Amino acid sequence: MSERLYFCSDYMEGAHPAIMNRLIETNMEKTGGYGFDTYCDSAKERIRQACQCPEAEVHFLVGGTQTNATVISCLLRGYQGVIAAETGHIATHEAGAIEAGGHKVMTIPHELGKINAEDVACLLGDFHSDDNRDHMVMPGMVYISQPTEYGTLYTLEEVEALSAVCRQYQIPLYVDGARMAYALATPSNDLTLADLARLCDVFYIGGTKCGALFGEAVVIPKKDTIPHFFTLIKQHGALLAKGRILGIQFDELFRDDLYLHIGDTAIELAQMLQKEIKDMGYQLFYESPTNQIFFVFENEELARLGEKVEYSFWEKYDDNHTAIRFATSWATSKEDADKLLAILRK
Amino acid sequence: MSERLYFCSDYMEGAHPAIMNRLIETNMEKTGGYGFDTYCDSAKERIRQACQCPEAEVHFLVGGTQTNATVISCLLRGYQGVIAAETGHIATHEAGAIEAGGHKVMTIPHELGKINAEDVACLLGDFHSDDNRDHMVMPGMVYISQPTEYGTLYTLEEVEALSAVCRQYQIPLYVDGARMAYALATPSNDLTLADLARLCDVFYIGGTKCGALFGEAVVIPKKDTIPHFFTLIKQHGALLAKGRILGIQFDELFRDDLYLHIGDTAIELAQMLQKEIKDMGYQLFYESPTNQIFFVFENEELARLGEKVEYSFWEKYDDNHTAIRFATSWATSKEDADKLLAILRK
Amino acid sequence: MSERLYFCSDYMEGAHPAIMNRLIETNMEKTGGYGFDTYCDSAKERIRQACQCPEAEVHFLVGGTQTNATVISCLLRGYQGVIAAETGHIATHEAGAIEAGGHKVMTIPHELGKINAEDVACLLGDFHSDDNRDHMVMPGMVYISQPTEYGTLYTLEEVEALSAVCRQYQIPLYVDGARMAYALATPSNDLTLADLARLCDVFYIGGTKCGALFGEAVVIPKKDTIPHFFTLIKQHGALLAKGRILGIQFDELFRDDLYLHIGDTAIELAQMLQKEIKDMGYQLFYESPTNQIFFVFENEELARLGEKVEYSFWEKYDDNHTAIRFATSWATSKEDADKLLAILRK
Amino acid sequence: MSERLYFCSDYMEGAHPAIMNRLIETNMEKTGGYGFDTYCDSAKERIRQACQCPEAEVHFLVGGTQTNATVISCLLRGYQGVIAAETGHIATHEAGAIEAGGHKVMTIPHELGKINAEDVACLLGDFHSDDNRDHMVMPGMVYISQPTEYGTLYTLEEVEALSAVCRQYQIPLYVDGARMAYALATPSNDLTLADLARLCDVFYIGGTKCGALFGEAVVIPKKDTIPHFFTLIKQHGALLAKGRILGIQFDELFRDDLYLHIGDTAIELAQMLQKEIKDMGYQLFYESPTNQIFFVFENEELARLGEKVEYSFWEKYDDNHTAIRFATSWATSKEDADKLLAILRK
């Protein structure tokens, strides 16, 4: 097993050493549960500062699907659904968690995982001018991912446009930031945490895929956007008893801007791999700016690759070809990246 | 803060040092997600052995409310509810998670947190002979906690009786073992994990309160009792991406019978405290055999105690008195127990 | 069959002849669906007048369980439950419809089907002063029935007290008026529709048991108490396509105060029966002022009665006796009442 | 108002005179509630005979959305969704009732409202071969409408093919027959009730749009396909207290094959209108075989038409044109059809 190379996802390792050290140091301390401890307090304050949003509520949940299901069901009223890309995580790989909470995911077409303000405005305009709208699900919020499931990034301008449409229709904009650190580490990215705090109603800063053992930090820039959110988190099974384990992790991630740079090597290595693999003559599926890169392989070649390398199946390309994903993480080594290139060169 | 004593709950510390060491050792390894890793495999195998149930399914979830909500909604059909003690955790302190999943908690009276087979049989008999039963919620499973929320224990005989009633009516028996290690460490306990595997349809072995950072191990003695449980765990937001973190913790807890003894000092200290505090003349609320002990304090005296000691409010006793709980954990020290006694002696 | 006497419920016949005539007269007219027709408009206006509440919203639904499930799920937020008597219809005979909508029914003790303001205030006070309240279901509304399931009536004073508690805690008071016509026809009743409109946030005026083929009129004194209620009615499967059938029925029921008197003979006959049967020496279960009366019968005697009369089983009284209910309706004849007395006299 | 022509839907009138007469005749009889009466028994038996399925369960519900929501939530397990056309009623105009019940509507493309077996097989095949399927909603049943929302009809061959795919994957096929009478009255139709009973797992025979005041008859060819369906109907608020009102209506509809022919004039008039309007030079949107016909009108022309005729908006065709629907019903007169033609001729 030790000989295999792992590029299948960005959650294959444990946590950043700084987190592990802090967990060890604090292990035998006694603190209150459910997030009422000084570590959570400190982590929340650091996140507020990183978001330049001193009034923001911050809540720590455990995982991404859980966070999406909890936040979305809390933001929507019974007669509403959530607008998302057809490729949005909530629409595809969350086992129907949103619908299990009672709400329709109202999908719209995407371009490499992104939706645009025009399409959202169109859907909202059509709904509100439809004679039958009272028999239909009202679009009640917008969900996007940054980076998207395709590894692409929304620009500041694009999120400003989405935010403007949402505010025109008085519905919340929610951003799933499961891989936010990789967006923040991407040189071309121009969308900061402060921008998100200004433009969104709720967003989450991913820990699980970005250096933590687990954990997602939900940021609600305007207090009381979700009344009794603590109770609702509990009800959704998303309240960690030893809440400080989340606090400690995010306190470390936001100490000295670690989170802003924890994705740096992942981006560098992924971009290096993307360029090199393409230069070897492999077919790029599409150009990705972040830590997930996508290639089309001939199926027999892929079978051979699979003997040595773990990758992700992305989609069938044609009868003889398959699109796959390689993902790097904060923990990927240059050495492994070079080994992957060596294997592909043969 | 360092001067305060903490006896308010059994989830105030991190994890057992063996767990922390193993997490550190394995931190940079790369494994698959969602429980598909060798640590989970090993932990599951050890739990199967501890339960003497080689065919059991084992699933790792994150927390107790989450586990209860997920298991119960999966075991019940739409027309059914769950029988529980009025004091059952699902009936009181889970923020309505069972109802949020669509099911009624059908409470029956308790004796120090325990329900008995006769009452369950009576409720089931009454239901099935009621002319209006088709307009009513069918009792579809039984929920008990071992130890109970009151720190009391079911005997083997009592669980055999409950199991017999459930099997007569062909409904599952489910045991919430959030504090199972403390039951197993109690000298008077005669209910083993193997008994539970024989008598229950689903039960969980608590990690969060028993030496882990977090985590609960759901044991399903008979395979496929819950079809597609993996997907349902995911849908409930209860699937940890880095599943190995759960596997590693339970692998340590079940290495060399650690789990069977991790509660030993907690029980010894709690029982010592119970005896000593009672001997000082304080009013025992009731005798508890496990790590949660209960006393009635005069309110002014309690206010003074609160300046130095963290305890749990249990219930109002009368206008001038309050029942409180002291809890010990696997991490409680003899030194702290002695300090508590010293404070109470004054 | 024609020889049996039917006193088992108040929904055994069709509709009041005035309704049937109007349905025949209007049968081939063409109108819009879903309540957008002049019959619904007229019926709503008459109900507003009867309630002395010119601004009230009125919605027509089909049945009682449906109405309760729809209204309650719309009034509550996700973290809330509904306070009701242990004997409340929503707590006992609606097959778990409230829980299926995600909410706990928080039962409190009753006295002949009624709850009182003190108990409600106590539950609310306890909740809001509980340290663990954020882990618990918040009581978010109060449900009562008028008349109750026991045939008893709330007085104006009692509902004023309940309303005051609700307003103090800013939670809605909802009244299930499935048998409202029988309350309004009871001489001792002092609670008018106008009182209900003044004191409640939502209530419904029952049609099914009060002279209609089916239908319940939901009255919301303050507009927009439930935003997008139409859509939510549709979502709950409670929107009748040919809405005018409901409009026509309620338009007739509220023409010339028919609804206020449609229960008169039912009350007279039930009260006459109650007095006479008691005078014969049968054991009154308790004194009821309305159209449901309750007696305790020796079981063998009851078996004989059952050969000739349909009654409702109420509850087991002791090993040899059973409490039963006789119900009259707007359609019960003096002749049938006399026949019942004749049978009982033998 | 009397001068307007109504072609906007097929539920604008009351009920077939035979039904109204029977309701009047039986109005003052006393029967048990909830469908336990001889009228329901007789109606069920007639439906079983019409379906040539003597063992079928038959249940009467009130409306279409209610029936779909109840049946679908009962057929699916928590991890499953329902496959439907993008244009399926459950996907568009039921206010999210399916999602409110916890399930995803998994839409696939349609051709004039119809889906085909190949696409369903493809979706099922793709799902079951997807590595990530355990993180996804499992397609758990197929929903079709006969006639479709577009007025088109499935052929026997097409439903046989859909049924074969469903049986291959062991998932139920459910048919929404809200307008079934119009299918059965269409000369080109080759799909009988007996075929449906043979090929489907559940289907419903629509009353509301086919001559009843309201009501839908759910047919379950194989008993116990949905255990405890009665209780689930009650829980969904779909159980009519005076169940006989449904029984009487369906007993009349299935007396002497009335239901098989009640749509005859509707089909004749709609087809005559379709041909004549097309011959006048108006643009057919597409050819429909049943009682709903579709034309494209220039917007100003449409505004003039709207002054005299009620039609249904279907969809925007282009900036200057709109597609509309004219619907006939069992109650539409030749006179009104001629008046419509006269107006259009001008």
Side-chain angles (χ1 to χ4, degrees):
Chain A
M1 193 106 120
S2 61
E3 298 170 21
R4 287 184 73 73
L5 285 175
Y6 290 81
F7 286 90
C8 46
S9 76
D10 35 19
Y11 44 93
M12 294 181 298
E13 301 93 0
H16 189 280
I19 285 174
M20 295 310 294
N21 290 340
R22 192 79 177 286
L23 288 175
I24 293 289
E25 278 170 32
T26 58
N27 189 49
M28 296 305 289
E29 288 182 18
K30 292 175 194 295
T31 59
Y34 308 113
F36 296 103
D37 65 80
T38 55
Y39 301 105
C40 284
D41 291 345
S42 170
K44 288 177 182 184
E45 191 50 35
R46 283 180 177 163
I47 288 172
R48 284 187 201 103
Q49 287 177 16
C51 296
Q52 297 175 27
C53 189
E55 298 301 314
E57 273 183 38
V58 181
H59 300 265
F60 300 119
L61 281 75
V62 173
T65 293
Q66 180 190 83
T67 300
N68 287 334
T70 304
V71 168
I72 290 170
S73 82
C74 291
L75 283 175
L76 294 178
R77 299 304 306 259
Y79 47 89
Q80 296 177 321
V82 51
I83 301 173
E86 285 170 351
T87 53
H89 205 254
I90 58 169
T92 56
H93 289 111
E94 300 194 352
I98 304 305
E99 291 86 358
H103 300 285
K104 184 186 273 288
V105 181
M106 309 174 82
T107 55
I108 57 176
H110 71 108
E111 199 175 320
L112 296 180
K114 291 162 64 178
I115 58 176
N116 63 61
E118 294 69 33
D119 288 350
V120 171
C122 183
L123 183 153
L124 284 160
D126 284 355
F127 173 82
H128 287 286
S129 64
D130 193 314
D131 281 352
N132 284 316
R133 65 184 173 279
D134 289 341
H135 296 252
M136 294 161 64
V137 177
M138 176 187 287
M141 65 181 285
V142 171
Y143 164 96
I144 59 172
S145 313
Q146 172 78 339
T148 70
E149 297 74 12
Y150 277 62
T152 50
L153 293 177
Y154 283 91
T155 64
L156 172 57
E157 190 179 359
E158 287 167 342
V159 175
E160 282 176 335
L162 284 164
S163 178
V165 172
C166 287
R167 287 178 183 176
Q168 179 189 345
Y169 284 94
Q170 297 184 290
I171 62 173
L173 174 61
Y174 168 58
V175 178
D176 175 336
R179 293 189 168 94
M180 186 70 77
Y182 302 109
L184 298 175
T186 298
S188 62
N189 175 60
D190 66 351
L191 186 69
T192 66
L193 292 176
D195 292 328
L196 288 166
R198 184 169 49 85
L199 299 170
C200 304
D201 298 89
V202 184
F203 64 100
Y204 85 81
I205 299 173
T208 301
K209 294 175 178 168
C210 303
L213 290 175
F214 61 90
E216 323 296 330
V218 173
V219 181
I220 306 180
K222 193 177 157 193
K223 270 192 186 177
D224 286 326
T225 295
I226 305 175
H228 297 276
F229 193 41
F230 180 93
T231 301
L232 291 162
I233 292 170
K234 172 82 178 180
Q235 186 185 81
H236 279 79
L239 186 65
L240 196 70
K242 298 184 181 177
R244 83 177 191 218
I245 308 300
L246 288 162
I248 288 166
Q249 294 187 85
F250 277 97
D251 200 43
E252 286 305 309
L253 286 174
F254 279 85
R255 180 197 296 270
D256 301 334
D257 290 345
L258 173 59
Y259 194 84
L260 303 185
H261 299 293
I262 198 169
D264 287 356
T265 59
I267 297 298
E268 284 162 24
L269 292 173
Q271 293 303 307
M272 181 272 281
L273 287 170
Q274 184 171 252
K275 182 177 181 308
E276 295 289 328
I277 298 171
K278 188 178 151 198
D279 287 352
M280 286 178 208
Y282 289 95
Q283 182 184 346
L284 197 60
F285 188 44
Y286 59 84
E287 185 94 27
S288 161
T290 62
N291 70 317
Q292 305 178 74
I293 58 174
F294 302 82
F295 284 89
V296 176
F297 276 76
E298 194 278 327
N299 288 345
E300 287 188 23
E301 196 168 22
L302 191 59
R304 284 193 300 276
L305 179 69
E307 292 165 14
K308 298 186 179 168
V309 179
E310 299 264 344
Y311 59 83
S312 279
F313 168 83
W314 197 249
E315 62 180 60
K316 185 177 165 176
Y317 186 78
D318 63 27
D319 282 351
N320 300 315
H321 295 79
T322 300
I324 68 164
R325 182 189 74 175
F326 297 120
T328 59
S329 83
W330 59 274
T332 303
S333 66
K334 177 74 165 62
E335 190 185 352
D336 276 3
D338 288 341
K339 283 186 191 165
L340 174 59
L341 292 177
I343 288 167
L344 289 170
R345 254 184 220 109
K346 281 170 201 166
Chain B
M1 193 105 117
S2 60
E3 299 170 21
R4 287 185 74 74
L5 286 174
Y6 290 80
F7 286 90
C8 47
S9 78
D10 35 19
Y11 44 95
M12 294 180 297
E13 301 92 1
H16 190 280
I19 285 174
M20 295 311 293
N21 289 340
R22 194 78 176 288
L23 288 176
I24 293 287
E25 276 171 34
T26 58
N27 189 50
M28 296 306 290
E29 289 182 17
K30 293 175 193 295
T31 59
Y34 308 112
F36 297 103
D37 64 81
T38 56
Y39 300 106
C40 286
D41 291 346
S42 170
K44 289 177 182 184
E45 191 49 35
R46 285 181 176 162
I47 288 172
R48 284 186 201 102
Q49 288 176 16
C51 297
Q52 297 175 26
C53 190
E55 298 301 315
E57 272 183 39
V58 181
H59 300 265
F60 300 118
L61 281 74
V62 172
T65 293
Q66 180 190 83
T67 301
N68 287 334
T70 304
V71 168
I72 290 170
S73 83
C74 291
L75 284 175
L76 294 177
R77 300 302 307 257
Y79 48 87
Q80 297 176 320
V82 51
I83 300 173
E86 284 170 352
T87 52
H89 205 253
I90 58 168
T92 57
H93 289 112
E94 299 194 353
I98 304 306
E99 291 87 358
H103 300 284
K104 185 186 275 285
V105 181
M106 309 173 82
T107 55
I108 58 176
H110 71 108
E111 199 175 319
L112 296 180
K114 291 162 63 177
I115 59 175
N116 63 62
E118 294 70 32
D119 288 350
V120 172
C122 182
L123 184 153
L124 284 160
D126 284 355
F127 173 82
H128 286 286
S129 64
D130 193 314
D131 282 351
N132 285 315
R133 65 184 174 280
D134 289 342
H135 296 253
M136 294 160 64
V137 176
M138 175 188 287
M141 65 181 286
V142 172
Y143 164 97
I144 60 171
S145 312
Q146 172 79 338
T148 69
E149 296 74 10
Y150 277 64
T152 50
L153 293 177
Y154 284 91
T155 64
L156 172 57
E157 190 179 359
E158 288 167 341
V159 175
E160 283 176 335
L162 284 164
S163 178
V165 172
C166 287
R167 286 176 185 178
Q168 179 189 345
Y169 284 93
Q170 298 184 289
I171 61 174
L173 174 61
Y174 167 59
V175 179
D176 174 336
R179 294 189 168 94
M180 185 69 79
Y182 302 109
L184 298 175
T186 298
S188 63
N189 176 60
D190 67 350
L191 187 69
T192 65
L193 292 176
D195 293 328
L196 288 166
R198 183 169 50 85
L199 298 169
C200 304
D201 298 89
V202 184
F203 64 102
Y204 85 82
I205 300 173
T208 302
K209 294 174 179 169
C210 303
L213 290 175
F214 60 90
E216 323 295 330
V218 174
V219 181
I220 306 180
K222 191 177 160 195
K223 268 189 188 183
D224 285 326
T225 295
I226 305 176
H228 298 277
F229 193 40
F230 180 92
T231 301
L232 290 162
I233 292 171
K234 171 82 178 181
Q235 187 185 81
H236 280 80
L239 185 65
L240 196 70
K242 300 185 179 176
R244 82 175 192 220
I245 307 299
L246 289 162
I248 289 166
Q249 294 187 84
F250 277 97
D251 200 43
E252 286 305 309
L253 286 174
F254 280 85
R255 179 198 295 270
D256 302 333
D257 290 346
L258 173 58
Y259 193 83
L260 304 185
H261 299 292
I262 197 169
D264 288 355
T265 59
I267 298 298
E268 284 161 25
L269 292 174
Q271 293 302 307
M272 181 273 281
L273 286 170
Q274 184 171 253
K275 181 177 182 307
E276 295 290 326
I277 298 171
K278 188 179 151 198
D279 288 352
M280 284 179 212
Y282 288 95
Q283 182 185 346
L284 197 60
F285 188 44
Y286 59 85
E287 187 94 26
S288 161
T290 61
N291 69 316
Q292 304 178 75
I293 58 173
F294 302 82
F295 284 89
V296 175
F297 275 75
E298 193 279 328
N299 288 345
E300 287 187 24
E301 197 168 20
L302 191 58
R304 283 193 300 274
L305 180 68
E307 291 165 15
K308 298 185 179 168
V309 180
E310 298 264 344
Y311 58 84
S312 277
F313 168 85
W314 197 247
E315 62 180 60
K316 186 177 163 176
Y317 185 79
D318 63 27
D319 282 352
N320 300 316
H321 295 79
T322 300
I324 67 163
R325 181 188 75 175
F326 297 120
T328 59
S329 84
W330 60 273
T332 302
S333 65
K334 177 75 165 62
E335 189 186 351
D336 276 2
D338 288 340
K339 280 185 192 166
L340 175 59
L341 291 176
I343 288 167
L344 289 169
R345 253 182 221 113
K346 282 168 199 168
Chain C
M1 193 108 116
S2 61
E3 299 170 22
R4 287 184 74 72
L5 286 174
Y6 290 81
F7 286 89
C8 47
S9 77
D10 35 19
Y11 44 94
M12 294 180 297
E13 300 92 1
H16 190 279
I19 285 174
M20 295 311 293
N21 290 340
R22 194 78 176 286
L23 288 175
I24 294 288
E25 277 170 34
T26 59
N27 188 49
M28 297 305 289
E29 290 182 18
K30 294 174 192 295
T31 59
Y34 308 114
F36 297 104
D37 64 81
T38 55
Y39 300 106
C40 285
D41 291 346
S42 170
K44 289 177 182 184
E45 190 50 34
R46 285 180 176 163
I47 288 173
R48 284 186 202 103
Q49 287 176 16
C51 297
Q52 296 174 26
C53 190
E55 298 300 316
E57 272 183 38
V58 181
H59 301 264
F60 300 119
L61 281 74
V62 173
T65 293
Q66 179 191 83
T67 300
N68 287 334
T70 304
V71 169
I72 290 170
S73 82
C74 291
L75 283 175
L76 294 177
R77 300 303 306 257
Y79 48 88
Q80 296 177 320
V82 51
I83 300 173
E86 285 170 352
T87 51
H89 204 251
I90 57 168
T92 57
H93 289 110
E94 299 194 353
I98 304 306
E99 292 86 358
H103 300 284
K104 185 186 273 289
V105 181
M106 310 174 82
T107 55
I108 58 175
H110 71 109
E111 199 176 319
L112 295 180
K114 291 162 63 178
I115 58 176
N116 64 61
E118 293 70 32
D119 289 350
V120 171
C122 182
L123 184 154
L124 284 161
D126 284 356
F127 173 82
H128 286 286
S129 64
D130 193 315
D131 281 352
N132 284 317
R133 66 184 173 279
D134 289 342
H135 296 252
M136 295 160 64
V137 176
M138 175 187 287
M141 65 181 285
V142 171
Y143 164 96
I144 60 172
S145 312
Q146 172 79 338
T148 69
E149 295 76 10
Y150 277 63
T152 51
L153 292 178
Y154 285 92
T155 64
L156 172 57
E157 191 179 359
E158 289 167 341
V159 175
E160 282 175 335
L162 284 164
S163 178
V165 172
C166 287
R167 287 179 183 176
Q168 179 189 346
Y169 285 94
Q170 297 185 289
I171 62 174
L173 174 61
Y174 168 59
V175 179
D176 174 337
R179 292 189 169 95
M180 186 69 77
Y182 302 109
L184 298 175
T186 298
S188 63
N189 176 60
D190 68 349
L191 187 70
T192 65
L193 292 176
D195 293 327
L196 288 166
R198 185 169 50 87
L199 298 168
C200 304
D201 298 90
V202 184
F203 64 101
Y204 85 81
I205 299 172
T208 302
K209 294 174 178 168
C210 303
L213 290 175
F214 61 90
E216 323 296 328
V218 174
V219 181
I220 306 180
K222 193 177 159 193
K223 269 191 189 180
D224 286 325
T225 294
I226 304 175
H228 297 277
F229 192 41
F230 180 93
T231 301
L232 290 162
I233 291 170
K234 173 81 179 180
Q235 187 185 79
H236 280 80
L239 185 65
L240 196 70
K242 298 185 180 176
R244 82 176 192 219
I245 307 299
L246 289 162
I248 289 166
Q249 293 186 84
F250 278 97
D251 200 43
E252 286 305 308
L253 286 173
F254 279 86
R255 179 197 295 271
D256 301 332
D257 290 345
L258 173 59
Y259 193 84
L260 303 185
H261 299 292
I262 197 169
D264 287 355
T265 59
I267 298 298
E268 283 162 24
L269 291 173
Q271 293 302 307
M272 181 273 282
L273 287 170
Q274 184 171 252
K275 182 178 182 306
E276 296 289 327
I277 298 171
K278 187 179 152 198
D279 288 352
M280 285 179 211
Y282 289 95
Q283 183 186 345
L284 197 60
F285 188 44
Y286 60 83
E287 186 94 28
S288 161
T290 61
N291 69 315
Q292 304 178 75
I293 57 174
F294 302 82
F295 284 89
V296 176
F297 276 76
E298 194 277 328
N299 288 345
E300 287 187 24
E301 196 167 21
L302 191 58
R304 284 193 301 275
L305 180 68
E307 291 165 15
K308 299 184 179 169
V309 179
E310 300 264 343
Y311 57 84
S312 278
F313 168 84
W314 197 248
E315 62 180 60
K316 185 177 164 175
Y317 185 79
D318 63 27
D319 282 352
N320 300 315
H321 295 79
T322 300
I324 67 164
R325 183 189 72 175
F326 298 119
T328 58
S329 83
W330 60 273
T332 303
S333 65
K334 176 76 166 59
E335 190 186 350
D336 276 2
D338 288 340
K339 281 185 191 164
L340 175 59
L341 291 176
I343 288 167
L344 288 170
R345 255 184 219 111
K346 282 169 200 169
Chain D
M1 194 106 119
S2 61
E3 298 170 23
R4 288 184 74 74
L5 285 175
Y6 291 80
F7 286 90
C8 47
S9 77
D10 35 19
Y11 44 95
M12 293 181 298
E13 299 92 2
H16 190 279
I19 285 174
M20 295 310 294
N21 290 340
R22 193 79 176 283
L23 288 175
I24 293 288
E25 278 170 34
T26 59
N27 188 51
M28 296 305 290
E29 288 182 18
K30 293 175 193 296
T31 59
Y34 308 114
F36 297 103
D37 65 81
T38 54
Y39 301 105
C40 285
D41 292 346
S42 170
K44 289 177 183 185
E45 191 49 36
R46 285 181 176 162
I47 288 172
R48 284 187 201 101
Q49 287 177 15
C51 297
Q52 297 174 28
C53 189
E55 298 302 314
E57 273 182 38
V58 181
H59 300 264
F60 300 119
L61 281 75
V62 173
T65 293
Q66 182 191 82
T67 300
N68 287 334
T70 304
V71 168
I72 290 170
S73 83
C74 291
L75 284 174
L76 294 177
R77 300 304 306 257
Y79 48 87
Q80 296 177 320
V82 51
I83 301 174
E86 284 169 353
T87 52
H89 205 253
I90 58 168
T92 57
H93 288 111
E94 299 194 353
I98 304 306
E99 291 86 358
H103 300 285
K104 185 186 273 289
V105 181
M106 309 174 82
T107 55
I108 57 175
H110 71 108
E111 199 176 319
L112 295 181
K114 292 162 64 178
I115 59 176
N116 64 62
E118 293 71 32
D119 288 349
V120 171
C122 182
L123 184 153
L124 284 160
D126 284 355
F127 173 82
H128 286 286
S129 63
D130 192 314
D131 282 351
N132 284 315
R133 65 183 173 280
D134 289 341
H135 296 253
M136 294 159 66
V137 176
M138 175 187 287
M141 65 180 285
V142 171
Y143 163 96
I144 60 172
S145 313
Q146 173 79 340
T148 70
E149 296 74 9
Y150 277 64
T152 50
L153 293 177
Y154 284 91
T155 63
L156 172 57
E157 189 179 1
E158 288 167 342
V159 175
E160 283 176 334
L162 284 164
S163 179
V165 172
C166 287
R167 287 178 183 176
Q168 178 188 346
Y169 284 94
Q170 298 184 289
I171 62 174
L173 174 61
Y174 168 58
V175 178
D176 174 336
R179 293 189 169 94
M180 186 69 78
Y182 302 109
L184 298 175
T186 298
S188 62
N189 176 62
D190 67 350
L191 186 70
T192 66
L193 292 176
D195 293 327
L196 287 166
R198 182 170 51 84
L199 298 170
C200 304
D201 298 88
V202 184
F203 64 100
Y204 85 82
I205 299 173
T208 302
K209 294 175 178 168
C210 303
L213 290 174
F214 61 90
E216 322 296 330
V218 173
V219 181
I220 306 181
K222 192 176 159 193
K223 269 191 187 180
D224 286 325
T225 296
I226 305 176
H228 297 276
F229 193 41
F230 180 92
T231 301
L232 290 162
I233 292 170
K234 172 81 177 181
Q235 187 185 81
H236 280 79
L239 185 65
L240 196 70
K242 299 185 180 176
R244 82 174 192 221
I245 307 300
L246 288 162
I248 289 166
Q249 294 186 85
F250 277 97
D251 200 43
E252 285 305 308
L253 286 174
F254 280 85
R255 178 198 296 271
D256 302 333
D257 291 344
L258 173 59
Y259 193 84
L260 304 185
H261 299 293
I262 198 169
D264 287 356
T265 59
I267 298 298
E268 284 162 24
L269 292 173
Q271 294 301 307
M272 181 273 281
L273 287 170
Q274 185 171 252
K275 180 176 184 308
E276 296 289 327
I277 298 171
K278 188 179 152 198
D279 288 353
M280 286 179 212
Y282 289 95
Q283 182 185 346
L284 197 61
F285 188 44
Y286 60 83
E287 186 94 27
S288 160
T290 62
N291 70 315
Q292 304 178 76
I293 57 173
F294 301 82
F295 284 89
V296 176
F297 276 76
E298 194 277 329
N299 288 345
E300 286 186 25
E301 197 168 19
L302 190 59
R304 282 193 300 276
L305 180 69
E307 290 165 16
K308 298 185 178 168
V309 179
E310 299 264 344
Y311 58 83
S312 277
F313 168 85
W314 197 248
E315 62 179 61
K316 186 178 164 176
Y317 185 78
D318 64 25
D319 282 351
N320 300 316
H321 296 79
T322 300
I324 68 163
R325 181 188 75 175
F326 297 119
T328 59
S329 84
W330 59 273
T332 302
S333 65
K334 177 76 165 57
E335 188 186 353
D336 276 1
D338 288 341
K339 281 186 191 164
L340 174 59
L341 292 177
I343 288 167
L344 289 169
R345 255 183 220 112
K346 282 168 200 169

